[in-house]
Amino acid sequence: MNKITFDEIKFSDHFMHDRQHRGIGNDVIRELLEHGDYKYDGHNALVYFFSDRSFHNMKRDGMSIQQIEYFRKKRAIRLVVSHDKVVITAKYAYKNRERMYH
């Protein structure tokens, strides 16, 4: 499966409610889809997350250090996307419960 772009996705009602409640903006979602890594969750969905490779690619693409540090602070955010390109939910992962990044 190829990477999904921000323009291709649709948002579920569940996600829209969670996003406002958790304070996850479109800028973070866009960067997760553009530069984030992803893994299959075993339930027919992809989980996008920031990794060290993501930040390296941001730097290589010309993003400023301040912008990269902003997204580094958002490293705990996970974005769950179904195979039909619908964002199911966004969540914060806790290091002791879920460690997906490298």
Side-chain angles (χ1 to χ4, degrees), residues 55-82:
F55 302 123
H56 175 74
N57 289 339
M58 287 178 191
K59 185 176 180 181
R60 192 184 70 213
D61 289 346
M63 194 176 282
S64 73
I65 299 296
Q66 291 84 8
Q67 290 172 316
I68 293 170
E69 285 304 314
Y70 170 77
F71 291 115
R72 195 176 294 273
K73 291 178 184 176
K74 306 290 184 180
R75 186 174 197 151
I77 294 175
R78 305 289 185 258
L79 188 68
V80 181
V81 182
S82 69

Side-chain angles (χ1 to χ4, degrees), residues 41-54:
D41 72 345
H43 302 287
N44 291 328
L46 296 172
V47 179
Y48 283 84
F49 57 97
F50 287 123
S51 67
D52 289 338
R53 181 173 43 192
S54 303

